[in-house]
């Protein structure tokens, strides 16, 4: 039997250095390795005649080498040129700075070249091609998988390592889906699927392999969600909160009138809380729609019924912000709120924990620090998580276990279309705030190209001179994080020393220590920084009402939902606010995406459009929607499979709610190992 937990260091070709590199990609075990799926493929299977090559395409050419490699020096670089020829014409292969190439070719021999074609007035060149002798086929002659990588690990290396991994497995993977499902839906068997997803012999193969793996991934998620929901429903006689506690008492203390949508949502929550079944509810609402106050009123109901409430936020800044909102309402009502983050000194923390356990604290607001074992409540009745990313399922459960079936409210600011929400949040009931409080100034959004840079800078200066503050957001993509971080730092240097040298410019990014980040955010909040350059760390609901302008660099690299989320950082005060999206490229999709952002401020509309426009080449996919990170499924492309799988899951669970039947034992295992372990963040 194959042990999929085998450390990758035991795979052929993986030495200590490569172990480290693989680890940075999240690959620790054989299982991680074989499920590290290609990001895309290059079809290097069919050679093209030179005369048929089209400008800009990637192509495979089989051609004879004519003459020797020439070396040409150009401004600090050395270019290597080689003339090649087939029956239809000749072309030049070019490379930069690779002197070893000089002795690589034998004149008159045939080789295969794969690379990007440049056709300039009939002169064809192939740029930095991979190549090998015509009769070999390790890099060409087939469909080649391309993996998401860090820049230190090459495609050839990882490909070889994965090949070795598959060799070790040698077709002996145990089937992970029940046979009746494989038969009914005509799915590939697991060994086939895994080997073909990496090395398909044609695109039909690839499609079948992908279908099987997507099916499995989505099915296990759906079943796990349904099981969770079933669990709450049967075992959990929840708390019945006091019917005589009227939330209107709390509502009347607010400095504003609630919107209709807020009132409707509160009624749903109030009903849940008074009923004997425990609440598991998702509250969706656009940025600024007023979710916090819903959490406060629910907490009021809980506390007045004699229980404690826990409010968990993803960052310390956000937790502190919540504490401010809560105390401003609850101080007068004699409800005691406290903050627990990891920044607390040991002494203060111990003291706080003691008061918590004795019931002297009514509402505890905090970060993940609240999950620690020594945090003990006297009688926890309500858990609210204000989360950016779903699938803190595990954490949600951990904190809920600190009480006896407390009610749970999950707040999410990433609106997704209802149909998708129903499937993805299959374990939760859903409430939606689909209306913003009145008199919100809408944020004016402009999409601009490079030529407008000067004007943008002038505009930003004008805003700052009027006393406002600005955010400048740069993309940071994990795939080659280090390079991106460097480019963000360059922007910072340029803005600080050249463009905005007369202003107070600071820089914040995700790799900083939390303490450092909090300090910078605090300074920004206090108006001690004019211009904050940042990566997307500011995405999570920070409130700085004086910030009226946001400039997003390379906006085309963000998902729309994420842009919307970012944009929500401005327009929080009394000032007219602006969002300027600087973008590159003039593809149709890019322009359409920018237009959507300029045309609407409605998060639900934006997420629908995002679904529509998202091409398969977009890898900023699901996570930024706050949806689970799938290894292979893409909710935008695979919505049909998702629907199919949902009905399959319902059928299975209704017949066999605990997956105890022999025929479902594979599913039982699949969910146990693949899913339950993985729902941690
Ligand atoms: P989010 O849903 O993004 O978490 P918040 O709860 O932070 O939004 O609310 C944004 C702002 O709107 C807060 O300052 C809050 O006090 C205010 N607010 C919430 N509801 C209303 C309302 N019905 N009328 C006016 N202002 C409101
Ligand atoms: Mg919020």
């Amino acid at each position: 039997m194959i042990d999929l937990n085998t450390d990758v260091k035991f795979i052929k070709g993986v030495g200590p250095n490569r172990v480290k590199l693989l680890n940075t990609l999240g690959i620790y075990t054989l299982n991680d390795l074989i499920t590290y799926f290609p990001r895309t493929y290059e079809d290097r299977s069919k050679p093209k005649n030179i005369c048929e090559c089209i400008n800009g395409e990637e192509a495979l050419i089989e051609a004879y080498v004519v003459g020797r490699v020439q070396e040409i020096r150009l401004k600090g670089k050395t270019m290597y040129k080689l003339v090649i020829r087939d029956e239809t014409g000749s072309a030049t292969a070019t490379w930069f700075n690779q002197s070893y190439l000089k002795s690589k070719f034998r004149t008159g021999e045939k080789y295969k070249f794969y690379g990007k074609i440049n056709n300039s007035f009939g002169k064809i060149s192939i740029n930095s091609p991979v190549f090998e002798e015509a009769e070999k086929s390790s890099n060409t002659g087939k469909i080649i998988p391309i993996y998401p990588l860090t820049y230190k690990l090459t495609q050839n290396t990882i490909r070889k390592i994965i090949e070795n991994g598959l060799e070790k497995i040698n077709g002996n993977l145990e089937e992970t889906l029940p046979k009746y499902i494989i038969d009914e839906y005509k799915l590939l068997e697991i060994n086939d699927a895994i080997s073909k997803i990496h090395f398909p012999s044609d695109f039909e193969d690839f499609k079948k392999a992908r279908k099987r793996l997507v099916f499995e991934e989505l099915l296990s998620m759906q079943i796990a969600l349904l099981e969770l929901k079933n669990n709450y429903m049967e075992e959990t006689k929840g708390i019945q909160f006091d019917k005589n506690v009227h939330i209107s008492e709390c509502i009347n203390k607010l400095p504003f009138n609630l919107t209709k949508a807020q009132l409707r949502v509160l009624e749903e929550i109030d009903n849940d809380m008074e009923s004997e079944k425990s609440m598991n509810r998702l509250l969706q609402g656009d940025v600024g729609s007023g979710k916090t106050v819903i959490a406060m009123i629910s907490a009021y109901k809980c506390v007045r019924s004699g229980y404690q409430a826990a409010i968990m936020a993803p960052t310390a800044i956000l937790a502190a912000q919540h504490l401010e909102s809560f105390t401003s309402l609850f101080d007068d009502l004699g409800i005691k709120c406290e903050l627990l983050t990891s920044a607390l000194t040991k002494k203060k923390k111990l003291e706080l924990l003691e008061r918590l356990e004795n019931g002297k604290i009514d509402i505890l607001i905090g970060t993940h620090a609240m999950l620690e074992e020594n945090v003990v409540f006297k009688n926890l009745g309500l858990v609210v998580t204000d989360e950016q990313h779903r699938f803190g399922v595990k954490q949600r459960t951990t904190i809920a276990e600190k009480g006896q079936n407390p009610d749970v409210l999950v707040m999410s600011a990433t609106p997704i279309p209802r149909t998708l929400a129903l499937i993805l949040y299959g374990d939760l009931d859903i409430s939606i705030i689909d209306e913003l409080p009145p008199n919100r100034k809408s944020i004016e959004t402009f999409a601009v190209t490079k030529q407008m840079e000067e004007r943008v800078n002038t505009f930003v200066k004008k805003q700052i001179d009027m006393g406002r503050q600005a955010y400048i957001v740069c993309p940071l993509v994990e795939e080659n994080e280090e390079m991106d971080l460097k480019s963000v730092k360059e922007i910072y240097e340029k803005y600080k020393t050249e463009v905005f040298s007369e202003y107070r410019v600071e820089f914040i990014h995700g790799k900083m220590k939390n303490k450092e980040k909090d300090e910078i955010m605090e300074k920004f909040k206090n108006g001690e920084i004019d211009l904050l350059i940042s990566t997307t760390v500011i995405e999570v609901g920070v409130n700085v009402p004086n910030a009226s302008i946001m400039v997003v660099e390379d906006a085309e690299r963000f998902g729309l939902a994420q842009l919307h989320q970012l944009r929500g950082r401005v327009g929080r005060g009394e000032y007219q606010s602006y969002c300027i999206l600087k973008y590159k490229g003039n593809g149709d999709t890019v322009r359409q995406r920018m237009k959507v952002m300029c045309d609407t401020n409605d998060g639900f509309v934006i997420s629908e459009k995002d679904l529509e426009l998202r091409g398969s080449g977009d890898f900023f996919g699901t996570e930024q929607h706050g949806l689970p990170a799938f290894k292979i499924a893409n909710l935008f492309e695979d919505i049909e499979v998702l629907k199919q799988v949902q009905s399959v899951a319902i059928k299975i669970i209704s017949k066999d709610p605990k997956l105890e039947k022999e025929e479902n034992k594979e599913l039982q295992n699949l969910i146990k190992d693949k899913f339950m372990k993985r729902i941690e963040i």
Side-chain angles (χ1 to χ4, degrees), residues 314-321 324 469-473 505-510 512-547 549-550 566 568-570 572:
T315 65
I317 304 167
L318 214 55
Q321 218 167 266
E324 233 172 79
Q469 290 160 281
Y471 294 104
I472 301 208
V473 186
V505 181
E506 274 295 345
F507 178 36
I508 186 170
H509 61 84
M512 282 175 164
K513 295 216 175 70
N514 283 341
K515 193 159 158 264
E516 243 178 309
K517 277 192 277 195
D518 290 348
E519 274 169 21
I520 293 178
M521 281 317 298
E522 203 51 46
K523 274 169 75 182
F524 190 63
K525 245 183 142 163
N526 296 336
E528 294 159 37
I529 295 171
D530 298 314
L531 230 138
L532 185 63
I533 317 247
S534 87
T535 58
T536 51
V537 288
I538 55 143
E539 191 179 337
V540 182
V542 186
N543 202 15
V544 183
N546 191 47
I549 185 158
M550 169 173 293
L566 285 166
R569 298 308 111 223
V570 295
R572 306 205 134 222

Side-chain angles (χ1 to χ4, degrees), residues 134 141 144 305 376 406 411 578 615 636 664 667:
I144 299 282
S305 304
V376 180
M411 304 199 292
Y578 305 91
F636 309 101
N664 288 326
L667 284 174

Side-chain angles (χ1 to χ4, degrees), residues 563-574:
L563 282 177
H564 180 63
Q565 203 59 25
L566 285 166
R567 176 167 67 179
R569 298 308 111 223
V570 295
R572 306 205 134 222
E574 61 204 278

Side-chain angles (χ1 to χ4, degrees), residues 626-671:
L627 304 179
F630 291 115
K631 282 202 145 181
I632 188 159
N634 172 328
L635 296 171
F636 309 101
E637 288 173 29
D638 299 321
I639 184 87
E640 287 311 314
V641 184
L642 186 54
K643 285 182 189 159
Q644 184 182 37
V645 152
Q646 192 190 30
S647 67
V648 177
I650 290 172
K651 223 163 42 189
I652 294 172
I653 287 291
S654 65
K655 276 200 227 147
D656 184 11
K658 295 209 150 103
L659 301 178
E660 288 160 333
K661 291 192 179 158
E662 179 63 20
E663 62 175 17
N664 288 326
K665 72 170 192 297
E666 288 91 352
L667 284 174
Q668 169 80 274
N669 290 338
L670 183 65
I671 284 156

Side-chain angles (χ1 to χ4, degrees), residues 127-149:
N127 300 328
S128 305
V130 291
F131 62 90
E132 64 194 346
E133 288 157 31
E135 68 275 12
K136 292 216 173 127
S137 60
S138 56
N139 289 322
T140 63
K142 54 189 176 191
I143 293 173
I144 299 282
I146 306 293
Y147 295 92
L149 287 180

Side-chain angles (χ1 to χ4, degrees), residues 256-259 262 285-293 437-438 440 543 572:
F256 45 72
N257 292 325
L258 291 178
T259 62
Q262 283 171 319
D286 211 342
V287 207
S289 61
K291 293 184 290 295
T292 314
V293 68
R440 271 291 148 77
N543 202 15
R572 306 205 134 222

